[in-house]
Each structure stands twice: as structure tokens, then as C-alpha cells.
């Protein structure tokens, strides 16, 4: 039986309502790049913790120009051992603590030093002083839960003294591909065989958004092998991505195998091209995506459904959005209504304007993904798009 097709948005909704963030774990700062933080990080104290100098120079009491007695030094990490009185100066380095009694710094270039005395020009209070707490206040929220930990967030966490951060556990993803015709790299092709590209595509798609890809397996087209492979994957992984074998052919065993393993179907068939024969089901806290075998379809469907599921499992509050570009369509695009069509396009820059040139081809033609730069959506209510239309290109 052919599936009843549901719109992309409804299918995504079913995925997102089934999936919730994974439990958290403590991650050392050095391993936390790219992770999603599951706690609010606040500063325990004012930062910087003390008034310091922004220049190499002399700490003084602000006032008119004067000749001052040099009475000591404050170096970064080694504060001066004494306070400063009017009529005195203390040599100071960038980042060193402002000595007690001083309230301004005169840069070294502006003073004359002779016989233990320095002649300084007039300065205002606070001149070249970095004030305690001007960066962060004690108790201030500095990295919110749900943020992605990039170099900047990690640096801020380090600056407030954190050595570990609570992060959402990375989802474990298992990728299975079905098909008697499939062979991996490094072996010659026999008659009737093709190379498996979906293992690489789906593993990379999942890894790129932060998943931990556990196992990859080519499964022959019979029910026993399919059931055994899926049973193993369901033991190990939070998310199982299986490509091919999810249609209604006599050698499509994925759906019956999943049903026999107690995986409950949440949807099958999306009003989408390419990517129509997409299946999604759950068993407890395990999520299974049955993706089309055709490589372009698998990629489109993986991007539409698997990526948001991984984002949700990781605990993103604001999942990263794919980059887009606006361009002018160069050709008419035909499509049926009632179905969202994604058309691969190449971006071409001409006379300062950006054009989207369709890369026509079939969904088994994986090279489309490299010849093209992204996808244009012809929405389900539109009967095609005309040349000259302004379109948004979702970049690969
Ligand atoms: P299926 O959904 O199993 O009927 O497969 C649809 C088409 O995708 C067939 O032409 C398959 O040969 C092809 N295909 C299935 N799996 C893969 C894969 N892992 N890599 C490349 N092509 C595949
Ligand atoms: Mg197949």
C-alpha cells in the first residue's frame, strides 16, 4: 500500500514532539568545543577582579603635570608592595594591579625618567585604568543554557574559572544501508553493483551536527539480516538511520523488520520531492529514520528530519540554521501542487547580481550535490516558479 503523504512541517512536528534533550554530562572545557551547554554559566565574581593598567607606564595620582619620586614597581602578577602617596609614581606594566592610592596611569612614552624621578604631564582620574567589574559583574549570566560552545563561549567560561561544563550528551547514531547491490570503497564493482554513498553521506550529516556516529553497516536485502542489523543498532544507538528498503517493493524489508522489533511508526511518506518515502518511528527513547535509498533523496530527507532531531537531542534552544542566499532564478521550474519540491541549483554571480541556475537531474545522481550549491524550494501551493523569480537558496 502506498503511504498517505503528510506535509514536511507536520512530519517535522512529529519528530520534534517525540524527541527531547538527552541527559547531561560534565565535559572538561578542553573537550567541550561544539557541544551544547545545558546549564547557565554565571560569573562568581567581578571581572576583571581588580583595577589594572591598560598601558605600560607609571601609576600616579591624577592632577597637574609634575615631577614625581619613583618609589616602586607593579608588574603583571606581582602587585607593588606599597601604597602610593601624592608626589610619587610607581612603574606599572599592562595588566598589573593599580597600587593603592593611585587612580591614573601615564603611558611610558609621555614621561621623562631621570635620577629616580619621573616628569609626567597632567592626567585625569581613570586615565588608562581598567576598572574592576567592567567586563562582568558577580552573578551575571555569561553563557546561557542551550548555547553552542564555540571558542568565545569557552573563553568566557574559562575566564570565570570553570573547568567543566554540563553539556547534553551527544546522541549516538547508527547508520545502516540496505541493498544487495551495494559495495563499499576499495573493492572492484561486479556486474549490477553500485557503490554505497549513503553510509558516508548520512554519517557525515550526523557527525557534522554533533552526533557520535557509532556503527556503519551494509545490510543485505532479506528480512532476517535486516531485522538482526536493526535489532543491534537499536541496542547501541539513540538514533538509527537506515537507508533504502523502505518502499513497497518485494525486497523492501525495513518496515516489517522495524514493526517486528516493536518500533512504532510515527509517519511514512512525506509530500516532498526528493525524499517522499521517508519513515519515522520510535521505540521508547530510540528513534528510527527510514530514509530513501536514492542518494539525493536520502540527503534531503536527512537534512530535513534527522538534523533537527539531533539538534533537539543535543539540547539546542536555538538550533543553527542552514545558511541561505537570495538569488534570481534563471529558468522556469515546473512542479506539481500538493508537494514541496527541492530543486538543486548552482549559484552564478554575473554583473554584481546572484543567479540560481537549476542543476537538473534525477535523485540517484549524487554528483548533483557537488555541482550544485544548494536547494530552491518550490512550495506545495505553487505550480512551479518562473524564470526571474527571487528565490532563497538553502546552501548545502
Ligand atoms: P531502495 O529505496 O532500496 O529501493 O533504493 C532506491 C535506489 O537507491 C536504488 O537505485 C538503490 O540502488 C539506491 N541506493 C540504495 N542505497 C544506496 C546507497 N547506500 N548508496 C547509493 N545508492 C543507494
Ligand atoms: Mg534497496
Amino acid at each position: 500500500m502506498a503511504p498517505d503523504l503528510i506535509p514536511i512541517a507536520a512530519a517535522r512536528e512529529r519528530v520534534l514532539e517525540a524527541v527531547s534533550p538527552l541527559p547531561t554530562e560534565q565535559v572538561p572545557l578542553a573537550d567541550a568545543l561544539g557541544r551544547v551547554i545545558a546549564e547557565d554559566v554565571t560569573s562568581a565574581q567581578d571581572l576583571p577582579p581588580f583595577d589594572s593598567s591598560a598601558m605600560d607606564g607609571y601609576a600616579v595620582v591624577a592632577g597637574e603635570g609634575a615631577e614625581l619620586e619613583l618609589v616602586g614597581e607593579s608588574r603583571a602578577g606581582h602587585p607593588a608592595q606599597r601604597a602610593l602617596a601624592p608626589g610619587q609614581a610607581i612603574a606599572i606594566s599592562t595588566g598589573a594591579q593599580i597600587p593603592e592610592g593611585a587612580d591614573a596611569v601615564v603611558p611610558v612614552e609621555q614621561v621623562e625618567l631621570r635620577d629616580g624621578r619621573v616628569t609626567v604631564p597632567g592626567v585625569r582620574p581613570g586615565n588608562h585604568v581598567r576598572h574592576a567589574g567592567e567586563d562582568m559583574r558577580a552573578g551575571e549570566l555569561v553563557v546561557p543554557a542551550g548555547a553552542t560552545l564555540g571558542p568565545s563561549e569557552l573563553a568566557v567560561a574559562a575566564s570565570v574559572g570553570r573547568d567543566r561544563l554540563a553539556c547534553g550528551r551527544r546522541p549516538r547514531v547508527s547508520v545502516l544501508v540496505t541493498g544487495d547491490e551495494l559495495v563499499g570503497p576499495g573493492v572492484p564493482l561486479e556486474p549490477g553493483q553500485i557503490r554505497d554513498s549513503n553510509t558516508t553521506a548520512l554519517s557525515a550529516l550526523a557527525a557534522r551536527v554533533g552526533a557520535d556516529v557509532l556503527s556503519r553497516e551494509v545490510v543485505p536485502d532479506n528480512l532476517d539480516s535486516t531485522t538482526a542489523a536493526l535489532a543491534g543498532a537499536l541496542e547501541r544507538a539513540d538514533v538509527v538511520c537506515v537507508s533504502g528498503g523502505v518502499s513497497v517493493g518485494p525486497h523492501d524489508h525495513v518496515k516489517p523488520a522495524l514493526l517486528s522489533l516493536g518500533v512504532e511508526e510515527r509517519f511514512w511518506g512525506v509530500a516532498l520531492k526528493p525524499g517522499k518515502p521517508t519513515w519515522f518511528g520510535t521505540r521508547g527513547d530510540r528513534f528510527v529514520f527510514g530514509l530513501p535509498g536514492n542518494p539525493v533523496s536520502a540527503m534531503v530527507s536527512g537534512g530535513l528530519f534527522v538534523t533537527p532531531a539531533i539538534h533537539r537531542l543535543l539540547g539546542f534552544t536555538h538550533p543553527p540554521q542552514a545558511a541561505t542566499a537570495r538569488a534570481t532564478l534563471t529558468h522556469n521550474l515546473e512542479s506539481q501542487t500538493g508537494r514541496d519540491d527541492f530543486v538543486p541549483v548552482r549559484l552564478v554571480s554575473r554583473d554584481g547580481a546572484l543567479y540560481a541556475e537549476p542543476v537538473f537531474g534525477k535523485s540517484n545522481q549524487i554528483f548533483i550535490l557537488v555541482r550544485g550549491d544548494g536547494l530552491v524550494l518550490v512550495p506545495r501551493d505553487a505550480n512551479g516558479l518562473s524564470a526571474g523569480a527571487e528565490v532563497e537558496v538553502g546552501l548545502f
Side-chain angles (χ1 to χ4, degrees):
M1 206 182 72
D4 287 332
L5 305 184
I6 63 169
I8 293 174
R12 255 210 185 117
E13 197 56 34
R14 284 191 204 173
V15 171
L16 293 179
E17 69 194 18
V19 175
S20 47
L22 291 171
T24 62
E25 59 190 11
Q26 292 290 324
V27 180
L29 225 49
D31 300 330
L33 180 64
R35 299 290 294 267
V36 182
I37 187 162
E39 61 169 326
D40 284 337
V41 176
T42 54
S43 179
Q45 59 178 135
D46 285 354
L47 285 183
F50 50 85
D51 287 353
S52 66
S53 177
M55 302 287 279
D56 290 328
Y58 293 86
V60 299
V61 181
E64 305 281 295
E67 189 185 290
L68 306 171
E69 179 194 4
L70 182 59
V71 296
E73 185 180 18
S74 178
R75 289 163 54 198
H78 304 281
Q81 294 302 309
R82 55 178 293 169
L84 181 119
Q88 298 180 333
I90 287 181
I92 194 162
S93 331
T94 305
Q97 185 162 1
I98 301 289
E100 202 187 317
D103 63 358
V105 170
V106 183
V108 68
E109 296 84 352
Q110 296 174 15
V111 303
E112 230 171 82
L113 174 65
R114 198 180 318 127
D115 302 332
R117 300 185 72 76
V118 288
T119 306
V120 300
V123 283
R124 293 175 184 284
N127 196 50
H128 297 305
V129 174
R130 304 163 169 169
H131 293 285
E134 70 180 13
D135 191 4
M136 305 169 205
R137 286 292 181 189
E140 188 169 346
L141 173 63
V142 292
V143 183
T148 313
L149 296 171
S152 308
E153 289 74 16
L154 290 171
V156 167
S159 76
V160 302
R162 295 296 303 270
D163 62 346
R164 299 171 159 265
L165 297 170
C167 295
R169 176 166 75 66
R170 294 168 65 203
R172 292 188 273 266
V173 174
S174 178
V175 175
L176 306 180
V177 297
T178 67
D180 286 345
E181 74 279 32
L182 303 176
V183 290
V187 260
L189 288 180
E190 300 291 336
Q193 293 184 328
I194 61 163
R195 302 243 181 242
D196 158 33
S197 60
N198 287 347
T199 297
T200 302
L202 297 171
S203 301
L205 195 89
R208 184 170 69 178
V209 293
D212 180 9
V213 180
L214 290 185
S215 50
R216 306 135 185 252
E217 207 174 330
V218 178
V219 184
D221 284 321
N222 65 70
L223 184 59
D224 288 348
S225 305
T226 308
T227 308
L230 285 167
L234 281 162
E235 288 299 312
R236 295 184 294 268
D238 303 294
V239 177
V240 177
C241 293
V242 50
S243 91
V246 78
S247 296
V248 288
H251 307 293
D252 291 336
H253 301 292
V254 168
K255 282 186 350 109
L258 286 169
L259 295 178
S260 77
L261 291 165
V263 182
E264 195 185 329
E265 179 178 306
R266 298 295 182 113
F267 67 78
W268 177 40
V270 183
L272 158 70
K273 190 187 173 195
K276 179 175 94 171
T278 298
W279 191 96
F280 172 64
T282 59
R283 188 178 84 183
D285 56 3
R286 310 297 183 174
F287 308 99
V288 182
F289 292 90
L291 301 170
N294 274 313
V296 178
S297 315
M299 199 71 134
V300 168
S301 189
L304 286 172
F305 305 113
V306 181
T307 297
I310 294 174
H311 283 156
R312 171 66 61 92
L313 288 164
L314 284 165
F316 277 109
T317 46
H318 301 288
Q321 301 294 309
T324 59
R326 293 204 67 83
T328 306
L329 197 59
T330 56
H331 292 66
N332 290 338
L333 295 179
E334 288 171 12
S335 79
Q336 287 174 15
T337 52
R339 177 182 83 186
D340 285 313
D341 279 27
F342 286 97
V343 179
V345 293
R346 211 163 66 88
L347 288 174
V348 185
S349 170
R350 214 181 296 134
D351 304 327
L354 201 57
Y355 294 90
E357 201 176 85
V359 179
F360 293 107
K362 301 188 184 122
S363 55
N364 65 319
Q365 297 174 350
I366 184 84
F367 187 29
I368 284 176
L369 297 176
V370 168
R371 286 191 292 132
D373 297 299
L375 298 170
V376 167
L377 170 66
V378 187
R380 22 203 310 269
D381 53 4
N383 199 348
L385 291 175
S386 304
E390 280 293 301
V391 292
E392 191 169 77
V393 182
L395 301 176
F396 290 141

